[in-house]
Amino acid sequence: MPENTEPEVGPFTIGDPLASPSNSVEVPDRDEEWTVTKGFTWVFRGEGNSHLTRPVIIADGFNHGKSDLKKLYEFLEGEEYGFLSALRERGMDVILLGFDNRTASILENAKAAEATVREAIARRVGDQRLVVGGFSMGGLVTRYALARMESEHNDHQTGVYFSYDTPHRGATIPIGVQAFSYLLPRGLDLKPHPFTQQMDSAAARQMLWQHYDNKTGKTGVAPEREALLTALDQVGQWPQIPLKVAVANGRGDGVGLPEVKAGEVALRLDVRYPGTTFYTQAQGDDVTVAYLKRAFPATEKTITTSGFPELDGAPGGTLRTYGILAASMEEAGGDADLRHADVCFVPSVSAVDILGFEKQEDLYAKVDDLDPDKSSLDAFLCSPTTTAHTLPTEELCTWLMDHFER
């Protein structure tokens, strides 16, 4: 490769595992398909139901581009626990909600959730109240949609709202990784790399607790996140009518990833981005979290943070952030020295809306020992072990289904 040619890096994103099932599962014929504003749905009726009777709306999470409902079905059914078949065996009708653009504003995608609620009410036979929620970002989309409907005095006829490892108080992707996304080459269509688009998207800016702004080189709360928080305030933060329940993939005993110690090398790259090094997040001021180097166009910068807690090893649902990045660089012909593949993505305290995580002591709080009234949720459950973000486990899914039937 000529030295003045920027190396090609294949398309990759770092988002919810919902779009990356590890097992191929046969997807049954869907009973109905709906096209709604900003989205679309696949409907699978519960066992013995000839019509839509007990609707459970499950909204997709965050990733690049349009939702892939086949992959979403495979993930929710074919990983550790078959959540969708379990719902249908209980006589519940599964409605998978996909978005035309998963990186669009949460406020915009809430229109798809509202439209799906209305469609379910119109098609439902009987008067069984709906169950509405989602995995990861889908839980935020549906939370806002239901709250907005109530604020506008629209009857959503929902009995239970649920979220599954949703970043109610924010999610975290290492600042060095966010900054690195802007060093990736454009495609042949001259558009930014998919990962660049993803990190710079409205949804990412809204969900991430702290966002790296490539234009200013500064890290902070993005204006889009401030707008989301304001919008939630304007509709009362949460829907008030339904029972509100949530589960977290992270533990509730204050234990996260003890092997991920602060300030260690997480990943070092060579060849394509020679010497580029990412460090696990440490506390303190002017803490180096990444040294970034690109051969062409020549770029070299050090990324620092100040006032951050030790995020990467914290209790929470994990994302294979550095593992995905390392694999992508190796596929592009580079070398990767991977030390920590997985890091915290949605802290447990965020998933159950009980504390913010700006402070170290709050991030590592023992959720199980806290007063549950500190949360806006009516009930919640943390995983007994640290599990991957959005992974359906039997314990978490069964707990949710039991609450759906109350």
Side-chain angles (χ1 to χ4, degrees):
M1 178 185 297
E3 291 185 358
N4 61 347
T5 300
E6 186 173 12
E8 293 183 5
V9 177
F12 72 91
T13 58
I14 298 177
D16 293 333
L18 298 165
S20 304
S22 57
N23 299 306
S24 179
V25 173
E26 182 179 353
V27 179
D29 293 337
R30 40 202 178 269
D31 296 299
E32 300 176 37
E33 290 184 51
W34 311 339
T35 299
V36 297
T37 304
K38 305 286 184 182
F40 54 101
T41 70
W42 286 4
V43 181
F44 304 89
R45 294 192 198 115
E47 288 187 5
N49 297 346
S50 58
H51 300 85
L52 192 70
T53 344
R54 299 175 62 193
V56 177
I57 297 171
I58 302 173
D60 196 10
F62 173 67
N63 217 307
H64 181 68
K66 186 176 182 179
S67 290
D68 186 330
L69 292 186
K70 179 178 183 295
K71 289 183 177 179
L72 177 61
Y73 187 101
E74 290 177 330
F75 183 84
L76 296 181
E77 184 64 20
E79 298 300 307
E80 186 172 309
Y81 181 70
F83 183 42
L84 302 186
S85 59
L87 285 167
R88 298 177 71 197
E89 286 169 4
R90 293 192 184 208
M92 301 183 209
D93 305 306
V94 171
I95 303 172
L96 297 183
L97 169 58
F99 304 110
D100 293 337
N101 181 3
R102 286 172 290 184
T103 58
S105 166
I106 289 168
L107 306 179
E108 282 297 298
N109 278 334
K111 296 176 182 177
E114 288 186 34
T116 302
V117 168
R118 297 178 196 279
E119 192 70 21
I121 292 170
R123 292 174 180 257
R124 177 194 56 190
V125 173
D127 59 359
Q128 182 74 39
R129 295 182 72 79
L130 280 58
V131 174
V132 179
F135 281 65
S136 192
M137 181 189 74
L140 277 176
V141 169
T142 49
R143 168 186 162 186
Y144 177 72
L146 293 176
R148 183 164 64 184
M149 292 182 77
E150 288 183 6
S151 73
E152 295 173 352
H153 306 290
N154 293 318
D155 186 5
H156 51 58
Q157 298 185 32
T158 298
V160 180
Y161 159 81
F162 78 95
S163 66
Y164 203 111
D165 216 38
T166 289
H168 289 297
R169 301 215 186 183
T172 174
I173 287 180
I175 296 300
V177 174
Q178 294 185 44
F180 179 75
S181 72
Y182 295 97
L183 299 188
L184 295 170
R186 290 176 177 264
L188 296 176
D189 57 3
L190 299 183
K191 292 182 179 179
H193 190 278
F195 185 44
T196 312
Q197 295 180 47
Q198 186 187 23
M199 288 297 95
D200 202 33
S201 69
R205 289 170 173 266
Q206 288 171 326
M207 284 192 300
L208 291 175
W209 167 66
Q210 296 282 291
H211 184 267
Y212 177 81
D213 189 321
N214 188 52
K215 294 179 180 178
T216 64
K218 295 181 180 179
T219 299
V221 178
E224 291 84 353
R225 178 161 181 77
E226 292 178 341
L228 171 65
L229 297 177
T230 297
L232 283 167
D233 279 338
Q234 291 171 343
V235 297
Q237 281 288 335
W238 294 82
Q240 301 303 313
I241 296 171
L243 178 74
K244 299 181 289 293
V245 297
V247 295
N249 282 113
R251 292 166 61 159
D253 60 0
V255 177
L257 298 168
E259 69 277 13
V260 180
K261 295 181 169 43
E264 293 184 336
V265 172
L267 173 64
R268 181 174 286 122
L269 304 177
D270 208 349
V271 182
R272 295 300 181 104
Y273 296 87
T276 289
T277 305
F278 302 91
Y279 301 91
T280 53
Q281 182 67 58
Q283 299 184 74
D285 293 329
D286 294 322
V287 172
T288 297
V289 293
Y291 166 71
L292 308 179
K293 184 176 181 180
R294 181 177 61 185
F296 180 83
T299 304
E300 190 172 349
K301 62 174 68 176
T302 298
I303 308 299
T304 63
T305 61
S306 293
F308 277 44
E310 296 171 5
L311 293 161
D312 294 328
T318 62
L319 200 60
R320 200 168 177 80
T321 304
Y322 288 115
I324 293 172
L325 185 55
S328 300
M329 294 300 106
E330 289 175 335
E331 288 174 7
D335 290 337
D337 177 9
L338 178 62
R339 311 285 182 85
H340 297 295
D342 303 274
V343 292
C344 176
F345 178 52
V346 177
S348 297
V349 292
S350 176
V352 301
D353 186 55
I354 201 161
L355 287 172
F357 53 90
E358 297 85 356
K359 298 178 182 178
Q360 178 81 359
E361 59 268 28
D362 290 344
L363 177 62
Y364 284 80
K366 295 181 179 180
V367 172
D368 295 339
D369 293 344
L370 297 176
D371 180 356
D373 289 340
K374 288 180 176 290
S375 171
S376 295
L377 296 157
D378 296 306
F380 58 79
L381 179 68
C382 292
S383 173
T385 59
T386 298
T387 50
H389 174 58
T390 68
L391 180 71
T393 68
E394 182 173 3
E395 180 169 354
L396 297 182
C397 290
T398 300
W399 183 89
L400 278 178
M401 291 188 292
D402 288 346
H403 282 77
F404 293 175
E405 295 185 313
R406 290 186 177 180

